[in-house]
Amino acid sequence: MIKIYYKNRPPILQTQITDYIGLIHVEIYNMSRPKDYRVARKRFSWIYVRNYEKARSASIIPKSQKKMTDFIKWIPDLNGKYLYRFPSIKTTCYQDFAKNHITKLEWDMFHYLPHFQGSFENLFEFNDLSFFDEVQDRLESEGVSFKGLFVRDIIIYEMLRINMGFKDYRGIEKLFRFAPQLSIFSLPVHSHSVPNAADMSYVIKKLPESDVFQFFQDLVEECIDYGLIIPRILLWDGQFIRANSNNNKKDGLDTYGDPDAGYCRHNGIKKGVGYDPGILYAYCKDRCFPIYFKMFPGNRSDNQAFKESIEDFFRINHHQWSLIIADSGPYSESILKHLHYRGVMLIIRDRKNIKNQPVKELTKGYYFNTDYIPNSWSNEYFLKIYKFRPMIEQGNSSNNTYYNGKRLNTRGMSSSIKNRAFIYSLQLLKALTAYKCGRPDLVMKPTAFEASKQIFWPNVAPRAAMEN
């Protein structure tokens, strides 16, 4: 007889033929004993054997073997303080830019009157807007009619409207009706007739958003040429823009009043129907400028907006950028890997609830993926670089507070792109004008160049200049 005993299974008792002829022989196997288990396995192929799944052995990489990522240079060349040290903006002299644009008296007012911050007209005396003359020629040759209006004039009035914080195109028209002798006629325009709201809306609607965006990009390149923007550190963020639409859909319709917009919810806050661009700023220590954006409906995800805006930016911008700083919204390990392979360092907050990645809390409430922190960087240095990120929020705040760009006055994706490109172009025009006037202190001031020559200059300015 064969007796096989298991610890957690019923025993097997098998009678042999010899048991019936008087030749009784009993074999006992205790399967919990290794020796009995091995003998039973060899003698009896029919016994029960539990199948165990073998754990996959992790591949062991010798210390001498390099990975592909080791050959990719993703850590910035500049180390220590040189990574965040930027040269100051050069102070120009009268002969550099101003000689052929303003008088020596105006130049002296910039430099000897401490509270003088220039006039709105200076933006168009120091910067060339002939780009829009070429756009008008091209569009008219394609059959587009502008009803005898000059596109460049409309652009100047649109800049004035944004600078004065008017919510819609009727702002300039209302201003002219209130006081016809105000500064509008001193603007460098072709016609002495102030366009009404319908004229401004008609011309701006006819302009392709690609041309307005290209004008913004040309200003970015000019800022880089003059050293106002130094390609090194990028900041990424979004900013909700309210659409000219109701938050509720009409009965029987699947879209909102603005069909291109989407309903935005951010961190549990319902913001309404609108747009939310992915925005890139260039950080240069004491200055920070918008250099690119990609418009999305308000219901987009941060992850999608970050990926697409970064890819589109690198497709058209050929300067060498060292690193990107972003908040935790678009975090994903795939994005970190993608930029790593691109040779760009991404400093982005992680989420503490991620368990399958090496997440570490470097300071209270700030978690980061340690796989993407250079070994040569201390935690203090890494956090110091990350603390540059709030500069983009400072830059974004003026869009809503000073330029009153929180809500659009028109509808459609095209209109939202043009509106945001005009605001960013105005900011860069002020920075370039401040540089060409020899006043670097005005480069980051949204309140600069808001006065008018026609109102302020004839009586007050010359007398103040002579008395100083």
Side-chain angles (χ1 to χ4, degrees):
M1 177 175 285
I2 298 173
K3 297 181 180 180
I4 301 176
Y5 294 97
Y6 293 93
K7 186 175 182 180
N8 298 319
R9 288 176 58 84
I12 298 176
L13 304 176
Q14 189 179 58
T15 305
Q16 305 295 310
I17 296 177
T18 56
D19 295 333
Y20 297 98
I21 60 175
L23 300 175
I24 300 175
H25 177 71
V26 179
E27 297 181 19
I28 300 174
Y29 299 94
N30 186 355
M31 300 299 282
S32 59
R33 294 176 56 190
K35 182 178 179 180
D36 290 0
Y37 177 81
R38 290 195 297 270
V39 173
R41 284 288 309 275
K42 289 180 180 178
R43 291 195 61 189
F44 313 115
S45 60
W46 43 265
I47 64 175
Y48 171 80
V49 178
R50 183 177 177 181
N51 293 322
Y52 291 91
E53 293 184 3
K54 293 184 178 181
R56 295 180 180 178
S57 58
S59 57
I60 300 174
I61 302 177
K63 292 184 178 180
S64 60
Q65 181 177 343
K66 289 185 176 293
K67 296 178 289 185
M68 184 180 295
T69 52
D70 294 335
F71 297 95
I72 300 174
K73 194 172 185 179
W74 64 285
I75 302 175
D77 294 332
L78 298 174
N79 298 317
K81 61 185 177 182
Y82 298 102
L83 178 60
Y84 55 83
R85 175 183 284 182
F86 292 87
S88 301
I89 299 175
K90 296 179 181 179
T91 302
T92 58
C93 60
Y94 179 67
Q95 287 75 18
D96 291 333
F97 297 99
K99 186 175 181 181
N100 297 323
H101 300 291
I102 61 174
T103 65
K104 190 62 168 64
L105 175 62
E106 294 179 45
W107 175 269
D108 291 340
M109 289 174 64
F110 271 107
H111 294 273
Y112 299 118
L113 294 180
H115 299 293
F116 181 71
Q117 297 185 359
S119 67
F120 185 73
E121 292 87 347
N122 292 143
L123 300 180
F124 312 107
E125 293 171 343
F126 283 91
N127 300 285
D128 186 14
L129 265 67
S130 60
F131 172 88
F132 291 103
D133 294 336
E134 298 173 2
V135 170
Q136 182 169 2
D137 291 341
R138 188 192 80 234
L139 293 176
E140 287 181 338
S141 66
E142 296 172 358
V144 179
S145 172
F146 290 100
K147 298 181 179 180
L149 297 167
F150 292 94
V151 173
R152 180 151 58 100
D153 294 0
I154 300 299
I155 297 302
I156 291 175
Y157 285 120
E158 174 66 0
M159 295 287 189
L160 178 62
R161 179 190 73 83
I162 294 173
N163 193 64
M164 301 188 75
F166 294 143
K167 290 185 177 181
D168 53 40
Y169 295 133
R170 291 199 64 210
I172 299 297
E173 187 179 350
K174 290 179 180 178
L175 177 66
F176 178 65
R177 290 178 180 175
F178 176 74
Q181 299 302 320
L182 284 181
S183 59
I184 324 177
F185 287 140
S186 64
L187 291 174
V189 296
H190 295 87
S191 174
H192 288 291
S193 61
V194 177
N196 56 34
D199 292 337
M200 293 187 64
S201 177
Y202 178 83
V203 172
I204 293 176
K205 188 176 181 180
K206 291 289 184 181
L207 281 176
E209 67 272 15
S210 58
D211 288 323
V212 181
F213 188 84
Q214 184 58 50
F215 177 70
F216 163 52
Q217 291 300 293
D218 290 347
L219 294 177
V220 170
E221 289 299 321
E222 189 175 358
C223 288
I224 293 176
D225 292 341
Y226 291 137
L228 277 68
I229 296 175
I230 299 174
R232 189 183 305 168
I233 299 177
L234 288 169
L235 308 178
W236 186 93
D237 202 359
Q239 184 179 36
F240 176 70
I241 307 169
R242 186 79 166 79
N244 189 7
S245 170
N246 194 290
N247 284 337
N248 300 312
K249 299 176 182 178
K250 291 185 178 181
D251 295 338
L253 296 179
D254 295 331
T255 59
Y256 297 99
D258 186 341
D260 295 337
Y263 197 95
C264 178
R265 294 177 179 85
H266 185 69
N267 293 334
I269 300 174
K270 296 180 180 180
K271 296 194 172 184
V273 175
Y275 298 89
D276 203 343
I279 311 167
L280 284 169
Y281 273 66
Y283 172 83
C284 304
K285 193 176 181 179
D286 59 344
R287 54 197 187 272
C288 188
F289 298 108
I291 60 170
Y292 189 81
F293 72 93
K294 184 175 176 61
M295 193 65 67
F296 297 91
N299 57 344
R300 56 84 168 165
S301 67
D302 284 344
N303 196 285
Q304 171 202 8
F306 183 86
K307 283 182 179 178
E308 294 187 21
S309 56
I310 290 294
E311 283 303 308
D312 288 357
F313 172 74
F314 284 138
R315 193 176 297 115
I316 68 168
N317 190 286
H318 304 293
H319 298 281
Q320 184 64 42
W321 299 89
S322 299
L323 59 89
I324 305 171
I325 306 174
D327 204 356
S328 60
Y331 177 85
S332 74
E333 192 174 21
S334 62
I335 289 178
L336 280 164
K337 288 181 179 179
H338 176 70
L339 289 176
H340 190 169
Y341 282 109
R342 265 191 172 276
V344 179
M345 183 177 178
L346 174 60
I347 300 180
I348 184 171
R349 283 178 65 182
D350 204 334
R351 300 181 182 90
K352 65 178 181 180
N353 58 348
I354 295 180
K355 304 299 182 184
N356 58 348
Q357 298 173 21
V359 178
K360 184 179 179 181
E361 186 178 19
L362 299 187
T363 187
K364 187 176 181 180
Y366 287 77
Y367 299 83
F368 297 91
N369 189 327
T370 55
D371 280 348
Y372 296 90
I373 299 178
N375 295 329
S376 58
W377 286 22
S378 65
N379 292 345
E380 293 75 15
Y381 182 76
F382 184 84
L383 289 172
K384 181 181 181 64
I385 301 298
Y386 179 77
K387 287 180 180 178
F388 300 156
R389 196 200 68 81
M391 281 287 284
I392 191 173
E393 296 178 357
Q394 176 187 340
N396 277 338
S397 65
S398 63
N399 300 333
N400 293 342
T401 56
Y402 186 76
Y403 298 113
N404 205 5
K406 189 175 183 180
R407 183 187 178 101
L408 299 173
N409 67 320
T410 52
R411 295 180 178 181
M413 178 69 74
S414 176
S415 297
S416 66
I417 294 173
K418 285 184 275 192
N419 177 269
R420 192 53 44 152
F422 280 134
I423 292 178
Y424 291 152
S425 297
L426 181 57
Q427 294 179 19
L428 296 183
L429 283 172
K430 289 186 176 183
L432 287 167
T433 306
Y435 166 75
K436 294 173 183 179
C437 290
R439 287 288 301 273
D441 59 305
L442 301 180
V443 163
M444 285 292 292
K445 278 193 174 182
T447 57
F449 306 102
E450 64 177 359
S452 169
K453 291 184 179 182
Q454 186 152 336
I455 298 174
F456 179 70
W457 284 40
N459 298 318
V460 182
R463 184 172 66 251
M466 288 185 290
E467 292 175 356
N468 190 285

